C-alpha cells in the first residue's frame, strides 16, 4: 500500500488567532476525491471559490489491466487538503455551513469494521481484473445486458459489483469477514464518510443514490439493493452501505479536528456532481466532463430512459425527500489520460499546455488517428476486446501531429457519445456544457463544437464537480433554498464556442475516425478465437499503443497535471 501523507496524523488545527469567523450560512466546503488527486474547495453563496487545496495520490499498477489506490493515502490527503484550504483563507471550520463529498465512482474499497484495515488497495474504476467474472455472467441468458432492465448497466468490470466479487474471491480473509458480518464495502464517498463520522467508533456506513446506481446491484425503480442481483454476484447485502438521497444531513463530522462539528450533508458521484455543478436541472440539459476520462450526462428528469445506442441509465440526483432524477450517460475511459500517456510513456511534452501549443502548429492531424482503447472501449461501443492503436502513420507525422491527433481523439470520442445520446433522446441537443481540466484547451473546445455542429458552453468556474457537491450539501442545510435559487446564483458562462467548420469536412473526419476505431476492435483474442487476420491495410499503418513506435521522435521527460 502507498505511504500516507507526511504528518497526516498531526493535529489539523492552526492557532485560533489566525482564523476568521465568517457567517456560516454563506460558505460550504466540498471534498472532491478524484482518480489522480483529492481537493477541498470552499465556495461562497454565489458559487465562487473562496479557497482550495489539492494533493495527488499514487497510481498503483501491479500488473497489466490492474489499477489501484491506497485508501489510507486518500484519507490522509483529504485531511491535509481540508486543513490547507481553511488555513489559506484563515477560516475556522465553524465558518462552514456544511460539507459535501464527491468522488470517483465505482472504485471499490472493502475494510474490517472493527479494525478499519482494508482488504488490500482500492480497485479503481478503470481496472479490468474482473473481466473473467463478467464473461461468466454474460454467457448466460441475455448476455451482457441481462441486468440492464433493473440496473440500467451492461455487465462490465467498470462497475463495482464485479470488483467486490473479485475482492471477496481473491483477497485473503475478505470472504470470511463478509460472511461473519465484520466486512464493509464502499466506494470512496462511503469510505470518507465512515472515516469522518467516527470510523471504528461508530462511523456511518452510507452512500447516495448516484453512487449506488453504479454498483450493478441496485434497482433503479426502487432505489434499493436487489436480492436477486446480490445473489447472482455472490455479494452479501449486509456488506453494502445504506442508500440515501444525495442531499441529506447525515451527521456532524468528528474527524479531522479542523472541521469537527460541521454537518456532513451531501454526497454525489463525481459526474452527477458535475451535472449539478453546471446547474443542469432542466430535463434535456447535457454536460461533458473532460477529466481522466470523458463523461457525458443528459438529464432525463423523472423518466428512466433505456438506451438502445450503447449508453447507460443512471441516477442523476435526489435531493432531500424529493423524487429521483435520472440521466443517460456515456462514459469514455481515456480522455486526459491520453495526454498523460504522451508525457509519461512517450515523453513528447513536459506540461499539458504544450500539447495544445504543439497541436496548433499544424492545420490537421496529418492523416493519423489515435484510438486510446488502453483497456477496451466504453460507451457507446462496450468492447473489452479493443486495444489502443495509431493508424495512418507516415514519415510526414511528427510530435505535433501526435498532439493534434490526441486532442481530436478526445473530441471524436465525445462525438460518438453525443450522437448516441441524440438518438436515444430523440431530440436534437441544443448545446453541450463542458468542464474538467481539458476544457481549458481553446483548440479542443473549438474542434469539439465543429465536430458536434453544436455550441459548446464553458462555465466561469471550472470546478463544477466540487461545486455540485457543495450545492447538494447547501441545499440540505438551507444555504440555497431550491434548485431555482442555485440557478440564480450560478457563477455563469466563460465562453461559448460556436461551430465554424464545414459539415462535409466534419463528416469525412468522422468517417476516418470510425475506420480507425474498427482497427482497434478484436485485438484481444480468446483461446477459441479464429486465427489472426492478416496485418496491413493499403495506405494505413497500424501500430498497437504500448509498442515501440518505429519513428524518430524528440522525447522529453516531464511532469504535468491533467
Amino acid at each position: 500500500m502507498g505511504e500516507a501523507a507526511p504528518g497526516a496524523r498531526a493535529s489539523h488545527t492552526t492557532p485560533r488567532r489566525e482564523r476568521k469567523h465568517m457567517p456560516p450560512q454563506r460558505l460550504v466546503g466540498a471534498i472532491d476525491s478524484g482518480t489522480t488527486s483529492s481537493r477541498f474547495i470552499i465556495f461562497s453563496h454565489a458559487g465562487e471559490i473562496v479557497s482550495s487545496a489539492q494533493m495527488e495520490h499514487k497510481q498503483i499498477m501491479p500488473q497489466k489491466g490492474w489499477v489501484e489506490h491506497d485508501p489510507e493515502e486518500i484519507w490522509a490527503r483529504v485531511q491535509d487538503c481540508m486543513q490547507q484550504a481553511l488555513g489559506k483563507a484563515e477560516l475556522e471550520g465553524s465558518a462552514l455551513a456544511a460539507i459535501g463529498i464527491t468522488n470517483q465512482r465505482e472504485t471499490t474499497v472493502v475494510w474490517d469494521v472493527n479494525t478499519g484495515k482494508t482488504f488490500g488497495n482500492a480497485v479503481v474504476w478503470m481496472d479490468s481484473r474482473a473481466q473473467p467474472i463478467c464473461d461468466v455472467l454474460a454467457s448466460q441468458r441475455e448476455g451482457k445486458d441481462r441486468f440492464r432492465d433493473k440496473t440500467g448497466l451492461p455487465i462490465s468490470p467498470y462497475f463495482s459489483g464485479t470488483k467486490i466479487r473479485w475482492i471477496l474471491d481473491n483477497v485473503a480473509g475478505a470472504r470470511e469477514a463478509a460472511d461473519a458480518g465484520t466486512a464493509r464495502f464502499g466506494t470512496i464517498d462511503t469510505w470518507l464518510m465512515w472515516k469522518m463520522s467516527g470510523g471504528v467508533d461508530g462511523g456511518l456506513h452510507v452512500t447516495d443514490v448516484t453512487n449506488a446506481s453504479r454498483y450493478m446491484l441496485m434497482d433503479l425503480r426502487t432505489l434499493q439493493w436487489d436480492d436477486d442481483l446480490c445473489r447472482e454476484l455472490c455479494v452479501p447485502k449486509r456488506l453494502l452501505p445504506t442508500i440515501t438521497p444525495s442531499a441529506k444531513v447525515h451527521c456532524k463530522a468528528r474527524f479531522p479536528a479542523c472541521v469537527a462539528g460541521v454537518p456532513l450533508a451531501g454526497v454525489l458521484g463525481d459526474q452527477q456532481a458535475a451535472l449539478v455543478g453546471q446547474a443542469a436541472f432542466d430535463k434535456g440539459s447535457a454536460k461533458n466532463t473532460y477529466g481522466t476520462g470523458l463523461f457525458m450526462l443528459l438529464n432525463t428528469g423523472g423518466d428512466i430512459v433505456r438506451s438502445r445506442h450503447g449508453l447507460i441509465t443512471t441516477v442523476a440526483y435526489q435531493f432531500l425527500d424529493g423524487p429521483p432524477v435520472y440521466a443517460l450517460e456515456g462514459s469514455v475511459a481515456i480522455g486526459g489520460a491520453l495526454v498523460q500517456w504522451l508525457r509519461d510513456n512517450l515523453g513528447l511534452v513536459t506540461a499539458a499546455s504544450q500539447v495544445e501549443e504543439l497541436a496548433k502548429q499544424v492545420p490537421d492531424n496529418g492523416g493519423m488517428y489515435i484510438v486510446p482503447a488502453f483497456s477496451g472501449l466504453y460507451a457507446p461501443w462496450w468492447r473489452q476486446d479493443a486495444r489502443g492503436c495509431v493508424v495512418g502513420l507516415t514519415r510526414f507525422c511528427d510530435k505535433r501531429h501526435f498532439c493534434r491527433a490526441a486532442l481530436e481523439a478526445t473530441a471524436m470520442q465525445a462525438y460518438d457519445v453525443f450522437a448516441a445520446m441524440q438518438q436515444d433522446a430523440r431530440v436534437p441537443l441544443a448545446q453541450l456544457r463542458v468542464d474538467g481540466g481539458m476544457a481549458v484547451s481553446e483548440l479542443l473546445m473549438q474542434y469539439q463544437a465543429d465536430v458536434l455542429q453544436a455550441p459548446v458552453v464553458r462555465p466561469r468556474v471550472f470546478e463544477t464537480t466540487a461545486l455540485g457537491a457543495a450545492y447538494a450539501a447547501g441545499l440540505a442545510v438551507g444555504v440555497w433554498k431550491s434548485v431555482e435559487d442555485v440557478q440564480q446564483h450560478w457563477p455563469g458562462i466563460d465562453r461559448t464556442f460556436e461551430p465554424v467548420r464545414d459539415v462535409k469536412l466534419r463528416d469525412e473526419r468522422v468517417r476516418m475516425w470510425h475506420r480507425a476505431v474498427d482497427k482497434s476492435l478484436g485485438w484481444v483474442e480468446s483461446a477459441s478465437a479464429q486465427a489472426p487476420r492478416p496485418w496491413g491495410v493499403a495506405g494505413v499503418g497500424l501500430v498497437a499503443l504500448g509498442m515501440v513506435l518505429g519513428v524518430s521522435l524528440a522525447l522529453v521527460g516531464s511532469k504535468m497535471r491533467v
Side-chain angles (χ1 to χ4, degrees):
M1 294 175 69
E3 297 177 359
R9 295 184 180 277
S11 173
H12 288 264
T13 59
T14 56
R16 187 172 295 273
R17 59 185 173 81
E18 296 180 3
R19 300 302 185 97
K20 296 177 182 177
H21 294 276
M22 296 185 69
Q25 70 273 16
R26 308 303 295 179
L27 300 177
V28 180
I31 297 167
D32 179 1
S33 187
T35 305
T36 59
S37 67
S38 292
R39 14 188 131 152
F40 186 69
I41 304 179
I42 301 170
F43 291 96
S44 70
H45 183 261
E48 302 286 354
I49 295 175
V50 174
S51 182
S52 68
Q54 178 177 6
M55 298 185 72
E56 293 187 354
H57 50 257
K58 293 179 181 177
Q59 306 299 305
I60 305 166
M61 302 178 188
Q63 57 181 280
K64 184 175 67 174
W66 291 29
V67 186
E68 300 177 355
H69 293 155
D70 178 352
E72 290 291 354
E73 182 190 18
I74 291 174
W75 169 230
R77 298 292 185 259
V78 167
Q79 293 178 83
D80 287 343
C81 286
M82 286 190 278
Q83 182 181 9
Q84 290 175 26
L86 288 166
K88 286 179 184 178
E90 299 182 355
L91 290 171
E92 294 280 0
S94 58
L96 303 179
I99 293 173
I101 299 173
T102 183
N103 58 289
Q104 50 168 314
R105 305 168 303 173
E106 298 97 16
T107 295
T108 297
V109 188
V110 179
W111 68 94
D112 189 292
V113 70
N114 295 320
T115 66
K117 292 183 178 180
T118 61
F119 291 96
N121 285 322
V123 180
V124 178
W125 59 271
M126 66 178 74
D127 186 286
S128 60
R129 72 185 68 183
Q131 184 61 52
I133 297 172
C134 296
D135 291 341
V136 172
L137 291 170
S139 68
Q140 306 169 35
R141 299 200 297 274
E142 299 175 29
K144 67 180 181 181
D145 290 328
R146 59 181 292 210
F147 301 149
R148 190 183 281 269
D149 183 61
K150 283 186 178 180
T151 67
L153 312 174
I155 294 172
S156 168
Y158 176 31
F159 306 111
S160 301
T162 54
K163 299 180 193 295
I164 305 171
R165 168 73 178 276
W166 189 94
I167 291 173
L168 295 180
D169 288 351
N170 292 277
V171 177
R175 175 66 70 180
E176 292 77 8
D179 291 340
T182 60
R184 297 291 183 269
F185 156 75
T187 39
I188 297 298
D189 60 300
T190 302
W191 170 248
L192 294 177
M193 180 70 77
W194 186 75
K195 285 284 196 178
M196 293 183 72
S197 60
V200 295
D201 185 20
L204 294 180
H205 187 219
V206 298
T207 191
D208 89 300
V209 290
T210 67
N211 279 291
S213 71
R214 317 295 293 200
Y215 286 19
M216 209 163 69
L217 295 169
M218 188 190 82
D219 189 317
L220 285 174
R221 300 179 188 87
T222 65
L223 304 183
Q224 297 297 320
W225 306 125
D226 183 83
D227 290 334
D228 292 337
L229 292 172
C230 289
R231 187 163 45 251
E232 289 272 11
L233 272 73
C234 301
V235 174
K237 281 182 69 175
R238 60 182 172 175
L239 182 72
L240 305 175
T242 300
I243 302 173
T244 71
S246 309
K248 173 185 172 151
V249 178
H250 294 283
C251 65
K252 291 184 178 180
R254 294 172 61 188
F255 301 104
C258 61
V259 295
V262 179
L264 300 176
V267 177
L268 284 162
D270 55 4
Q271 302 313 317
Q272 288 92 335
L275 188 75
V276 172
Q278 290 270 22
F281 301 118
D282 298 327
K283 185 176 181 179
S285 300
K287 73 88 196 175
N288 194 34
T289 296
Y290 298 78
T292 302
L294 308 176
F295 303 90
M296 191 179 299
L297 269 73
L298 171 69
N299 185 329
T300 61
D303 299 330
I304 300 176
V305 178
R306 306 295 181 183
S307 175
R308 297 186 178 184
H309 299 91
L311 305 180
I312 63 176
T313 307
T314 194
V315 180
Y317 55 83
Q318 182 187 25
F319 295 150
L320 301 171
D321 296 326
V325 173
Y326 295 92
L328 281 173
E329 177 176 341
S331 305
V332 174
I334 303 298
L338 179 56
V339 175
Q340 291 176 322
W341 181 77
L342 293 181
R343 175 198 72 183
D344 298 337
N345 294 58
L346 298 188
L348 295 184
V349 294
T350 59
S353 58
Q354 291 181 344
V355 172
E356 180 164 17
E357 291 168 6
L358 288 167
K360 282 181 175 179
Q361 295 175 18
V362 290
D364 54 41
N365 60 17
M368 64 171 286
Y369 291 80
I370 302 176
V371 182
F374 295 131
S375 55
L377 288 173
Y378 287 10
W381 311 99
W382 297 107
R383 291 288 297 267
Q384 292 299 318
D385 62 348
R387 283 299 178 267
C389 66
V390 177
V391 301
L393 195 62
T394 67
R395 285 287 299 273
F396 171 72
C397 299
D398 58 31
K399 64 180 180 179
R400 298 173 301 170
H401 298 98
F402 265 85
C403 291
R404 181 91 186 195
L407 294 181
E408 291 187 4
T410 302
M412 285 298 184
Q413 291 182 103
Y415 166 83
D416 286 338
V417 173
F418 189 83
M421 204 163 271
Q422 285 192 309
Q423 292 180 74
D424 278 331
R426 297 181 181 178
V427 293
L429 302 182
Q431 60 177 220
L432 181 67
R433 296 187 179 189
V434 298
D435 53 65
M438 294 188 77
V440 301
S441 170
E442 303 280 316
L443 178 62
L444 173 59
M445 293 298 98
Q446 185 57 61
Y447 190 79
Q448 189 71 84
D450 291 340
V451 170
L452 299 181
Q453 287 294 300
V456 169
V457 180
R458 187 170 66 189
R460 223 164 40 79
V461 173
F462 274 34
E463 301 292 353
T464 55
T465 302
L467 181 57
Y471 281 152
L475 283 165
V477 298
V479 172
W480 294 280
K481 305 303 180 185
S482 64
V483 295
E484 291 77 18
D485 190 22
V486 168
Q487 289 174 320
Q488 183 177 351
H489 292 93
W490 189 62
I493 295 170
D494 168 51
R495 180 178 172 185
T496 299
F497 296 84
E498 299 285 350
V500 295
R501 289 202 175 190
D502 181 76
V503 175
K504 290 184 178 179
L505 177 60
R506 186 281 302 269
D507 291 345
E508 176 60 17
R509 294 286 173 82
V510 169
R511 186 183 72 84
M512 293 299 293
W513 161 253
H514 286 156
R515 286 187 66 196
V517 169
D518 185 61
K519 301 300 179 186
S520 75
L521 303 178
W523 188 262
V524 177
E525 296 181 318
S526 65
S528 60
Q530 296 179 354
R533 286 181 257 176
W535 280 74
V537 177
V540 180
L542 176 60
V543 183
L545 293 186
M547 295 177 63
V548 177
L549 299 175
V551 292
S552 180
L553 301 172
L555 301 181
V556 184
S558 64
K559 275 192 172 183
M560 74 167 190
R561 175 183 175 270
V562 176

